[in-house]
Each structure stands twice: as structure tokens, then as C-alpha cells.
Amino acid sequence: MQYFQAVQQGKLRASKSQMKMFDVAGFAMLTLTTKKIDGKFHPVGEEEFTAVINSPDGHVAVIVDKDGFTKAQSKAVEKEEALSIYKKLRDTGIEEYPEKEIQIWSESRPTIQNQKTE
């Protein structure tokens, strides 16, 4: 698939996830539309999973594909609010992302929704 085609298809998929995030969080940012695997560009997947991660500005609820590539995110908020958004996404039928790390921009970040509070 050519890069342009991957971007176009990925944008459609990520936009759907962005709207779901917007519905529950009141704000949603589109993140990745493509992913690079084995040197080739692919659109983000159609699948939707949710998780919570740390960001430099706070905590963020995310919607990712099956490979953990982030398609949409909430704004940075307090941990409790990010977990509340995560739970609302789960209530809409989106499953928890089963792995321990997601890919956002060019970084891997650990998921924290199951961390015990100190």
C-alpha cells in the first residue's frame, strides 16, 4: 500500500475512534493514522481497544488498534478523570487493551489503568 493510501484509510479509521472519544470525554485528539511495520506504512487498524497512559502533562485515556497504535486520545487530565473516561469507553463496548505498552507518536508508553493506587 502506498503511503498516501495508508494515510487516507487510517484517517477514516482514526476519525471514528476520535468521535467515540469525543462522545464520552467532550474532547478528543486524533493521534496516529499510519503505522510502520517492517519498513512499510499501513493504516491504523479498525479494531478499538482502550487504555490509560501517563503523559508529560498528566494522564490520558487512549483508543488504540490491535497493535497498540494510538488512534485517539483525551486531553491530559488527573488520573481519576482519565480512569473515568476509560470506564465510559469500556461501557460503550470497547475492550481493554491487553498488552502492557502502547505506541503514541514515536514513543512507547506503559498502560496504567490497572496500577494499584498508593
Side-chain angles (χ1 to χ4, degrees):
M1 179 176 285
Q2 292 180 342
Y3 177 75
F4 179 76
Q5 291 171 308
V7 169
Q8 293 302 103
Q9 193 171 26
K11 188 172 183 199
L12 289 173
R13 293 174 179 178
S15 292
K16 288 179 184 175
S17 296
Q18 181 186 19
M19 288 299 102
K20 288 181 182 178
M21 178 69 74
F22 183 82
D23 286 345
V24 301
F27 173 89
M29 189 165 87
L30 190 74
T31 52
L32 300 175
T33 58
T34 59
K35 53 189 175 181
K36 197 171 186 180
I37 301 173
D38 298 327
K40 294 183 180 152
F41 286 101
H42 301 273
V44 289
E46 291 185 67
E47 323 78 29
E48 291 182 320
F49 296 92
T50 185
V52 175
I53 60 169
N54 285 322
S55 80
D57 301 319
H59 294 80
V60 177
V62 293
I63 297 177
V64 301
D65 71 5
K66 69 178 174 60
D67 296 320
F69 285 85
T70 307
K71 301 191 294 179
Q73 73 173 58
S74 69
K75 63 184 174 185
V77 293
E78 296 294 323
K79 184 176 182 180
E80 295 74 29
E81 188 174 347
L83 289 169
S84 173
I85 294 167
Y86 161 82
K87 287 178 182 135
K88 289 176 187 175
L89 288 167
R90 293 291 317 274
D91 289 344
T92 69
I94 298 176
E95 293 183 30
E96 176 181 0
Y97 184 63
E99 305 298 325
K100 300 285 185 225
E101 283 192 345
I102 59 95
Q103 187 72 25
I104 185 164
W105 310 118
S106 60
E107 301 176 12
S108 287
R109 295 260 175 91
T111 60
I112 63 158
Q113 66 273 7
N114 293 316
Q115 268 184 353
K116 302 288 182 238
T117 354
E118 289 124 33

